[in-house]
Amino acid sequence: MSEPLTVRARLAAPVDAVRRALTDPAELRVWLAEQAEVELPHRYEFWGRYTPEGDAPHQRLLHADERTLRFAWTLDGVETTTEFELAPEGAGTLLTLRQSHFDMAEAMSGSSIRGVLQTFWALSIANLAAHVAGEPLLPRTDFTSADLRAELTIDAPLDRVWTSLTDSEQASAWFGYPIGIEPWVGGRYAMGGFETGYAAKVVDLDPGRTISVDWGPVGVSTWELAESAGKTKLTMVQSGFDETNPPYPAWCGNVAGLFELRRFNELADWQPIWVSAELPTSA
């Protein structure tokens, strides 16, 4: 069953700067899409490798003003509707995304590219937040490739990052969703906590360096840490899945989560940007 999706985030930039990032094609090519063309109030299009079904632009502009942007986006033969709403909040901006035609069952089964909508927008909004704040962006997902690999550098000691990855309380905090972790080979890794009835399995662990979690059909998630000039280099890889149907929804969710993982470890006064509880579901 299709469900309306609403996600809210606080961005560290004024409304004018966020609107410019949403509507300037040169800026869109930095944080959202490989290709973008905008001519308000008539045209709003983006496409390319980093866009689901990005072989060509499939958007149709519906409305644009100083605070709202709304467009139709056809995915897997169905016209969906995407809306961004901006509101000033102190010196920053409260961004609200509303997306129609999201179905969690499609996300879990991989039966339609529309299943990626939740985590695609979570990753895109995280990169928008990084872009307007002048911070390094997360790797964007290449929807033409089955090579699911991401790297980023966290300005924090390796042991601190390792603890935040493997401690249930800390991981639940930065991911914004309960995660139960038993950090040993054979231990459980449970999205939603240990009470949900289902948990993935830790299949490899080198303390302080590597942890791998087997999610079944969507493959094995591996996080590798290495010291780099007092910082921590994180490499994340997804493997062991059906390469004819890569688990893009889960992958986008995992990569989106790295935004708050980095901020959690780098900021002394860390607070999540997400206002809505409707955050990406990882696997």
Side-chain angles (χ1 to χ4, degrees):
M1 180 179 178
S2 179
E3 308 165 9
L5 173 67
T6 301
V7 176
R8 295 183 175 89
R10 293 187 175 98
L11 309 186
V15 167
D16 288 350
V18 177
R19 185 181 186 278
R20 185 168 57 250
L22 281 168
T23 57
D24 182 280
E27 294 201 40
L28 286 169
R29 294 182 199 116
V30 172
W31 66 268
L32 178 62
E34 186 178 29
Q35 303 292 337
E37 294 295 339
V38 178
E39 296 174 7
L40 300 181
H42 307 293
R43 184 185 187 192
Y44 190 87
E45 297 176 336
F46 56 90
W47 69 100
R49 291 180 298 155
Y50 307 131
T51 302
E53 290 193 341
D55 57 308
H58 298 294
Q59 299 81 28
R60 178 171 58 87
L61 185 61
L62 301 175
H63 176 80
D65 59 32
E66 295 304 310
R67 299 288 177 86
T68 306
L69 174 69
R70 186 183 312 115
F71 55 89
W73 183 8
T74 299
L75 287 168
D76 199 14
V78 174
E79 186 173 85
T80 77
T81 302
T82 306
E83 179 181 272
F84 285 98
E85 180 182 340
L86 308 179
E89 188 175 72
T93 300
L94 176 64
L95 177 147
T96 301
L97 166 80
R98 299 181 181 91
Q99 173 68 61
S100 72
H101 293 82
F102 172 69
D103 189 332
M104 182 58 76
E106 291 177 344
M108 299 299 291
S109 68
S111 59
S112 170
I113 193 61
R114 292 188 303 274
V116 80
L117 281 168
Q118 183 187 36
T119 54
F120 169 78
W121 283 125
L123 175 55
S124 298
I125 292 170
N127 270 334
L128 172 60
H131 172 65
V132 298
E135 300 171 355
L137 271 64
L138 300 170
R140 291 181 285 181
T141 298
D142 184 345
F143 289 95
T144 69
S145 174
D147 182 14
L148 303 184
R149 181 183 182 89
E151 296 181 352
L152 79 161
T153 299
I154 300 173
D155 190 4
L158 186 149
D159 59 346
R160 182 189 303 172
V161 178
W162 174 258
T163 299
S164 66
L165 274 173
T166 56
D167 176 80
S168 297
E169 183 176 352
Q170 292 193 27
S172 298
W174 60 259
F175 197 75
Y177 191 73
I179 304 177
I181 304 171
E182 293 174 338
W184 55 80
V185 173
R188 294 174 293 171
Y189 193 104
M191 295 301 299
F194 293 130
E195 294 76 26
T196 59
Y198 170 79
K201 182 179 180 181
V202 177
V203 292
D204 187 33
L205 187 137
D206 180 1
R209 298 291 176 179
T210 305
I211 181 171
S212 296
V213 177
D214 188 348
W215 297 94
V218 298
V220 176
S221 301
T222 299
W223 295 265
E224 298 179 357
L225 304 182
E227 293 179 326
S228 177
K231 301 179 182 181
T232 302
K233 179 181 178 182
L234 169 64
T235 302
M236 185 174 69
V237 178
Q238 192 83 1
S239 61
F241 52 83
D242 177 4
E243 294 193 0
T244 66
N245 187 22
Y248 293 129
W251 177 251
C252 288
N254 274 332
V255 179
L258 300 182
F259 178 73
E260 290 292 12
L261 171 66
R262 184 173 63 194
R263 297 178 71 250
F264 180 84
N265 282 280
E266 292 184 348
L267 302 179
D269 57 349
W270 171 81
Q271 292 292 329
I273 69 165
W274 306 106
V275 178
S276 171
E278 297 172 73
L279 293 178
T281 299
S282 168

